Amino acid sequence: MTEIIDVLVVGAGPAGLSSAFFLRHMGDDLEVLTLDRMEGRRRSRYHSICGEGISVGAFSELTPIRPWAVKDRVDKAVINWPGGVRTTQRLDGVIIDRPAFLDRLEGMYREEGGHSAVGSLISLKQEEGFYTAVLYDGTELRSRYVIGADGAFSTVRKQIFGTRPLRMLAVERYLVEAETLPETLTFHMGESYGGGYRWEFPCGGLVNTGFPAGTSRLDEYVDKACRFLPFGGVPQVTDGNVLLVGDAAGQANPVSFGGIRTSMVAGKRAAKAVIAGKPERYRRWWERSRLSSPWYMKAHETLAGWSDGDMERAAAPFQGRARLRPLLRRAMTSPRDFHMYIAYGLAFRESW
Ligand SMILES: Cc1cc2nc3c(=O)[nH]c(=O)nc-3n(C[C@H](O)[C@H](O)[C@H](O)COP(=O)(O)OP(=O)(O)OC[C@H]3O[C@@H](n4cnc5c(N)ncnc54)[C@H](O)[C@@H]3O)c2cc1C
């Protein structure tokens, strides 16, 4: 029989690499193996299908991971609402070269003594005291713990949990040669985006833009791609010694749709729980975390049901720069929209 390793991390994206790195960095010499079905240019291509925006604040929870491979810095968000209403929010963030960022994180993980393998998981079964993973080429791996960080269509989730994330959005991402506001995350809101938005982010001399698939059209571009974004969570993030993190657990924020930060923070928490030998601690953390607050999903559903007129009415008082005092005043005088203001206020601070 093949050796039983301590932890198999399926998927080496932001969630998987954060889990794996912290398992080695904080753990007492656990044997950790990451497994990813892609390598080289295919993997870089997959991970570049993203807005690549992340707040600087995200990294305060992830030391010693830093915002490496920065393509652009951003210091504000400009949100264009229907009716010509424009709101501005000061923030501090970066646009990263995500494949290069992940390469660097993988390098750090290997320096900590972690191992990586290329292969596609096709089945996962619980046996007596361990899990058996079968790969596409027939290889079998045995592990005491499994972290499922294998993205939107997670095989780990299907095999062990038999569940799905609450919502799944297909998103089109384009790179275009165009002008955009410098150092600014630009958003366009409207009823046609179905609770989502159109974004324009600076991207190393180009503009990274996109929208929920089918809600808009763009004919001239340098590059076009589409990827799925799950959100709204899954019924359970742990089952025995199997833990789901990142998109596998539908952890992207339902308001901002940021998922890199949540994936990496969840990865660190999952690693901590595995090191303690108590996976349910990760479940408890996630259920109590503000990152999984039902306010976000409620705000998403509300926005998805709003007309352009509703959006204009709600955003108009914040024309110009949104400040805390008018936000609170508006929240008190308009109880119907209260959860929206709270969710949007929090989303800018902690969801990306
Ligand atoms: C168009 C778009 C734009 C976005 N923009 C932003 C943004 O600007 N900021 C932000 O914070 N978030 C953004 N997001 C969300 C963010 O990209 C995701 O939430 C994040 O990538 C989740 O990371 P993950 O590691 O959980 O999953 P993934 O990044 O999907 O990584 C999963 C990994 O698992 C591997 N894998 C899958 N199946 C298997 C298998 N069977 N066997 C082995 N390996 C497997 C894959 O190859 C992949 O490497 C965006 C999403 C989309 C779709």
Side-chain angles (χ1 to χ4, degrees):
M1 189 162 102
T2 54
E3 170 204 7
I4 301 175
I5 58 168
D6 293 315
V7 195
L8 173 66
V9 180
V10 185
L17 284 175
S18 169
S19 311
F21 169 73
F22 283 111
L23 278 164
R24 289 295 309 176
H25 186 66
M26 304 187 305
D28 198 8
D29 234 15
L30 290 174
E31 201 175 338
V32 184
L33 177 70
T34 60
L35 174 76
D36 202 289
R37 63 184 171 169
M38 294 187 221
E39 61 178 332
R41 286 172 63 173
R42 237 183 104 222
R43 183 159 175 273
S44 292
R45 168 79 183 148
Y46 173 86
H47 285 290
S48 70
I49 307 169
C50 183
E52 303 181 303
I54 183 164
S55 66
V56 169
F59 293 92
S60 63
E61 301 170 80
L62 294 166
T63 310
I65 301 175
R66 300 291 311 141
W68 304 297
V70 171
K71 287 199 275 201
D72 287 276
R73 296 198 73 88
V74 286
D75 61 12
K76 61 184 167 311
V78 169
I79 312 178
N80 297 291
W81 299 90
V85 176
R86 178 181 265 214
T87 58
T88 304
Q89 173 79 37
R90 199 181 282 279
L91 43 78
D92 187 13
V94 289
I95 306 294
I96 52 170
D97 175 336
R98 181 172 147 159
F101 173 83
L102 292 178
D103 283 351
R104 173 114 184 227
L105 182 52
E106 182 156 29
M108 276 175 66
Y109 159 66
R110 290 205 194 162
E111 274 168 27
E112 294 274 357
H115 299 283
S116 316
V118 177
S120 187
L121 177 80
I122 55 165
S123 97
L124 184 66
K125 274 202 295 282
Q126 184 169 9
E127 319 259 3
E128 289 272 309
F130 60 90
Y131 295 85
T132 299
V134 181
L135 313 194
Y136 184 72
D137 67 0
T139 306
E140 291 196 359
L141 300 168
R142 293 183 167 77
S143 181
R144 291 196 300 122
Y145 290 89
V146 177
I147 294 187
D150 47 346
F153 298 97
S154 168
T155 304
V156 174
R157 189 182 67 229
K158 272 183 231 152
Q159 293 278 310
I160 300 291
F161 297 77
T163 56
R164 290 176 190 190
L166 189 62
R167 296 273 189 281
M168 187 81 93
L169 193 66
V171 187
E172 290 176 28
R173 189 285 273 134
Y174 297 81
L175 295 179
V176 296
E177 281 173 342
E179 294 282 313
T180 190
L181 296 170
E183 299 179 355
T184 305
L185 302 179
T186 305
F187 298 92
H188 301 272
M189 312 297 289
E191 63 185 32
S192 61
Y193 298 121
Y197 53 72
R198 177 174 175 146
W199 79 87
E200 282 161 28
F201 293 177
C203 179
L206 295 171
V207 177
N208 180 323
T209 182
F211 35 77
T215 62
S216 225
R217 222 190 122 115
L218 230 170
D219 292 323
E220 283 193 28
Y221 48 82
V222 176
D223 185 56
K224 174 185 177 178
C226 186
R227 197 155 72 81
F228 283 85
L229 175 59
F231 61 99
V234 288
Q236 266 175 267
V237 294
T238 60
D239 182 318
N241 284 351
V242 182
L243 301 82
L244 292 177
V245 291
D247 277 4
Q251 289 172 332
N253 185 276
V255 168
S256 69
F257 298 102
I260 303 174
R261 175 184 191 158
T262 324
S263 300
M264 293 205 297
V265 170
K268 181 178 177 183
R269 291 294 184 147
K272 258 187 170 171
V274 168
I275 290 165
K278 300 200 180 316
E280 65 284 0
R281 277 192 192 169
Y282 167 65
R283 175 181 55 77
R284 281 202 297 273
W285 165 76
W286 175 247
E287 287 172 1
R288 289 175 194 166
S289 166
R290 276 225 301 271
L291 297 174
S292 68
S293 164
W295 286 68
Y296 288 123
M297 203 53 211
K298 200 173 162 207
H300 169 80
E301 305 280 12
T302 303
L303 188 75
W306 270 2
S307 65
D308 283 346
D310 291 330
M311 289 186 204
E312 183 182 344
R313 177 185 51 76
F318 305 101
Q319 173 92 338
R321 178 164 294 159
R323 292 188 192 282
L324 192 62
R325 208 172 287 163
L327 185 87
L328 289 176
R329 201 180 312 126
R330 174 78 189 172
M332 306 300 268
T333 54
S334 177
R336 194 170 76 102
D337 302 338
F338 185 74
H339 65 288
M340 294 295 280
Y341 299 123
I342 298 291
Y344 270 77
L346 284 178
F348 272 110
R349 274 220 342 244
E350 59 188 31
S351 78
W352 69 294

